[in-house]
Amino acid sequence: MPQYLLALDQGTSSSRSIVFDRKGQIVALAQRELPQIYPRPGWVEHSPIEIWNSQLATAQEALRKAGISASEIASIGITNQRETTVLWNRKTGAPIHNALVWQDRRAEPLCAALRERGMADTIQAKTGLLIDAYFSGTKLQWLLDNVPGARAQAERGELAFGTVDTWLIWQLTQGKRHVTDVSNASRTMLFNVHTNEWDEELLACLNIPHSLMPEVLPSSAAFGQTSADLLGAEIAIGGVAGDQQSALFGQACFHAGMAKNTYGTGCFMLMHTGHNFQTSHNGLLTTSAAQTHTRPEFAMEGSVFVGGAVVQWLRDGLRAIENSGEVQSLAESVPDSGGVLLVPAFTGLGAPYWKPDARGTITGLTRGTTIAHIARAALESIAYQSAALLQAMSRDAVAAGGAPVTELRVDGGASVNNLLMQFQADLLGIPVVRPACVETTALGAAYLAGLSCGMYQGTDELSALWKAERQFMPTMSRQRAGELMQQWEHAVRQTTAD
């Protein structure tokens, strides 16, 4: 039996491919940057052709680097930037417009109209989501309304909609398969997560023809076969999940109460809730977790808009450091932040606050404040925002009869910063655990593919493969941690003070 798995990791800023062995070890990695297109303020696009070409090139390169042929790959897993919306012609395969990226805000007037029609409760009850231009549904509606001829073509059944996973599968199978998985479907605002089906009421509400929509499968399933001429042989596509759900799976968070936080440009925290659909009363979303069977599984999700991006701001905006790797040593040159708090609300505040009008602030400055104190406050802001998220999750969990989170598994670029991870553990009062493989997003997709092809027998086997690289234990008193969080919340209130 083939001994390798290939993960295609199509992200916002790059396309990557990673070859894993059956123990989840990285054999080879290839990456290409993806150009960003900004037609107007608040509009963000990608070229679907560029997404496909860059992803295919990295897959071919990863196989070459690994020194293996396509016939040695047991299955392909795909993980992707979520919510990004692609619309193309079924006959020609040509996109009718650039992809609208998840960050794109042009559909906000359509969202406002939905709120005015009183659809907020219905949409949250069916999809677990809040009405927001972040999600795919109103992006698709905008394309149908604004691309000349698009709506007429859609009504005639000539167009296909997909998130990035669907677009890649269409290309890999050369138009034979128009499919997605439950985790990506759950981010469209059009999918009933209780029945795992496209919701006719929501499609009608947004005036979207059902014929546009892909077939929805569990995250570990038979999604199709790649065309032999692309990689050298036909390969089964056996796993698909949106990037954050894939990371939850790659972290082996398979049971209710297990949580992970990905520290990237932003921070994305997910807590598995098992088969229980929980509506948050603390500003979080409910989303479908990656599923290996047809029975729905759920997670609570919260997003921090500015996580690691605050370090980029220190580098490019303040010019406090020359490269991002210098931030830890600069922050460690002082014993604490000297009372300085930095709230990086550069694009508003996400969960659990949802304050789009908030703007960044630095408070607690004195004559003795140095750039090192500000650097430390910037790093600590990532932990404060994540702690607020986890506290909101724990409140929701307890209200639903569950237990608060007892351990946080971490991944993403900023998780390698030991100072940040220790401060995170101190604020939370629970262990923060960094895995041996921080490429958990790609690993989750590979594991889903491995399950579908029989390389793994079940999630217990995957749990046994998960290994911790380092565990950060809290050393701060709970009283002190509580005082710091109170100071943080006070600083947050000041970001929207009139």
Side-chain angles (χ1 to χ4, degrees), residues 147-162:
V147 177
R151 185 163 290 286
Q153 287 178 281
E155 298 288 357
R156 293 195 298 267
E158 296 170 5
L159 301 183
F161 152 76

Side-chain angles (χ1 to χ4, degrees), residues 20-21 40 114 141 199 212 259-260 290 354 379 383 392 419 422 424 451 472 483:
F20 291 97
D21 66 19
R40 295 187 199 174
L114 287 173
Q141 187 182 9
D199 190 278
L212 286 170
K260 71 90 195 174
W354 297 110
L379 264 190
L419 177 72
Q422 184 58 53
Q424 189 72 83
L451 284 170
F472 297 85
E483 291 168 355

Side-chain angles (χ1 to χ4, degrees), residues 182 196 217-220 275 290-297 457-459:
V182 289
N196 278 349
L217 300 176
S219 310
S220 182
H275 299 295
Q291 294 166 204
T292 57
H293 302 288
T294 54
R295 187 179 177 192
E297 294 181 48
Q457 299 311 305
T459 53

Side-chain angles (χ1 to χ4, degrees), residues 13-14 81 109 198 273 357 360 390 396 427 461:
S13 56
S14 71
Q81 52 167 318
W198 299 115
T273 61
D357 299 328
L390 193 91
D396 278 330
L427 285 180
E461 189 176 349

Side-chain angles (χ1 to χ4, degrees), residues 342-358:
L342 189 159
V343 183
F346 303 146
T347 54
L349 286 170
Y353 306 108
W354 297 110
K355 293 183 175 179
D357 299 328

Side-chain angles (χ1 to χ4, degrees), residues 79-123:
T79 184
N80 55 285
Q81 52 167 318
R82 304 174 303 172
E83 300 95 18
T84 296
T85 300
V86 190
L87 191 58
W88 66 94
N89 184 291
R90 287 181 178 275
K91 186 175 288 186
T92 66
I96 68 164
H97 193 276
N98 277 335
L100 304 193
V101 179
W102 58 273
Q103 298 153 313
D104 190 284
R105 303 302 299 173
R106 74 186 70 183
E108 176 51 37
L110 296 171
C111 292
L114 287 173
R115 293 185 204 105
E116 286 167 16
R117 289 168 61 186
M119 290 299 297
D121 288 347
T122 299
I123 286 173

